[in-house]
Amino acid sequence: MWLDTHCHLDAAEFDADRDAVVARARAAGVGLQVLPAVEVGNFDAVRELAHQHRLAYALGIHPLYTGRAADDDLERLHDELDRRRDDPRLVAVGEIGIDQFVPGLDLERQRRFYLAQLALARDFGLPVLLHVRRSADLLLHGLRRVETPGGIAHAFNGSDAQAAQFVALGLRLGFGGAMSFERALQIRRLATTLPEHVPVLETDAPDIPPHWLYRSAAERAAGAASTRNEPAELPRIALELAALRGWTPEHTAAQTTANAIAALPRLAPLVAAHGR
């Protein structure tokens, strides 16, 4: 079984055929997806989808949404985590973090939301799903200030030293479609050299398409339609990791699923249920 640790199934790109997207994923062997929230307004959507399709979900406020979040949204997140604390499909606090790539974001506001959500993860005993974009050192600083029960650094693209620090703090690192591009030298090297207990698989669907779905700006300008990513692509993405590491597909599936469960322990009974 393959496990997609990061998929935005609630995104508008899936509105027309969401059930078919889940069916294609299952047919491809993707037994579970983790659906991270991005703001208070989609907490219900990810939870309901997780229960409808027997998946998993996380609750959090994404750094790109902190500008439009209300100050009391952190309290609303606390209340929702408390309300759902016994929900077996709630597996993490996320997607949270800091983004220094998108211009115009208030860094101090992002930092405040990030630290507050780390504290919530600590208080509720939940791991975190981290958004890391030109922000690894800031996130590491927060993790040292607020000890959390591990988690996943999603779509990791940092240095070897930063990777080692995340791992030392108990986090796994997410690898997805970006790994399939030959020019992604650092990502591919990390995927090859990290200890085998570190990598987990993800799609970030509908985003971060692998190279076989990617359309350049020039291609789009020439009329080529953008192609969304979806969780059914995960096994083919996984073969990129297998090729880089010299693993068999079977070992890749078993190892990355074990890594995901180690990062998000509440996945264990959900994975076991899919095996029955």
Side-chain angles (χ1 to χ4, degrees):
M1 186 182 86
W2 301 104
L3 205 161
D4 186 348
T5 61
H6 205 104
C7 173
H8 295 282
L9 186 64
D10 63 303
E13 288 88 340
F14 296 123
D15 284 351
D17 63 343
R18 190 169 285 109
D19 289 351
V21 167
V22 175
R24 281 193 292 273
R26 288 252 160 76
V30 183
L32 273 178
Q33 303 160 39
V34 180
L35 315 181
V38 296
E39 61 179 336
V40 168
N42 80 325
F43 286 0
D44 288 345
V46 296
R47 177 178 54 80
E48 290 167 6
L49 284 170
H51 281 270
Q52 178 184 351
H53 295 290
R54 296 183 296 118
L55 305 173
Y57 71 102
L59 296 175
I61 300 168
H62 192 292
L64 297 185
Y65 289 79
T66 54
R68 72 188 204 188
D71 287 340
D72 66 355
D73 280 359
L74 289 167
E75 183 177 347
R76 295 172 69 185
L77 172 59
H78 170 278
D79 292 346
E80 189 68 6
L81 290 169
D82 189 46
R83 185 178 300 113
R84 309 299 174 189
R85 65 166 66 234
D86 295 325
D87 185 346
R89 298 192 181 276
L90 173 63
V91 299
V93 172
E95 178 177 357
I96 69 173
I98 295 173
D99 191 300
Q100 293 198 105
F101 177 78
V102 175
L105 299 176
D106 183 333
L107 179 59
E108 287 309 311
R109 186 170 181 82
Q110 288 189 75
R111 196 196 309 264
R112 180 165 67 82
F113 271 76
Y114 171 57
L115 292 174
Q117 291 180 97
L118 287 182
L120 288 174
R122 177 199 62 202
D123 294 347
F124 284 96
L126 289 169
V128 291
L129 301 179
L130 296 182
H131 176 94
V132 191
R133 194 150 61 160
R134 296 186 182 174
S135 58
D137 289 339
L138 290 173
L139 297 189
L140 287 164
H141 178 72
L143 289 168
R144 294 188 189 100
R145 286 182 58 185
V146 184
E147 186 174 348
T148 58
I152 297 170
H154 151 62
F156 187 79
N157 188 20
S159 69
D160 291 10
Q162 290 166 336
Q165 291 174 71
F166 278 108
V167 173
L169 290 167
L171 279 82
R172 270 62 178 181
L173 306 183
F175 291 87
M179 178 178 56
S180 70
F181 290 87
E182 290 188 0
R183 66 180 183 271
L185 299 178
Q186 174 64 2
I187 294 174
R188 290 168 68 86
R189 191 164 62 79
L190 280 170
T192 305
T193 60
L194 285 168
E196 71 170 14
H197 73 275
V198 172
V200 299
L201 292 168
E202 61 181 31
T203 60
D204 198 30
D207 298 321
I208 314 186
H211 76 80
W212 54 88
L213 297 180
Y214 180 74
R215 299 292 181 266
S216 67
E219 289 171 324
R220 294 194 300 271
S226 297
T227 305
R228 73 183 181 190
N229 195 10
E230 62 176 79
E233 300 295 334
L234 191 75
R236 189 171 172 185
I237 291 170
L239 293 182
E240 298 282 338
L241 179 63
L244 288 168
R245 297 201 65 116
W247 288 350
T248 65
E250 293 78 13
H251 179 76
T252 306
Q255 184 66 55
T256 56
T257 295
N259 294 351
I261 292 170
L264 309 175
R266 285 186 170 202
L267 287 175
L270 303 181
V271 170
H274 274 272
R276 291 198 290 268

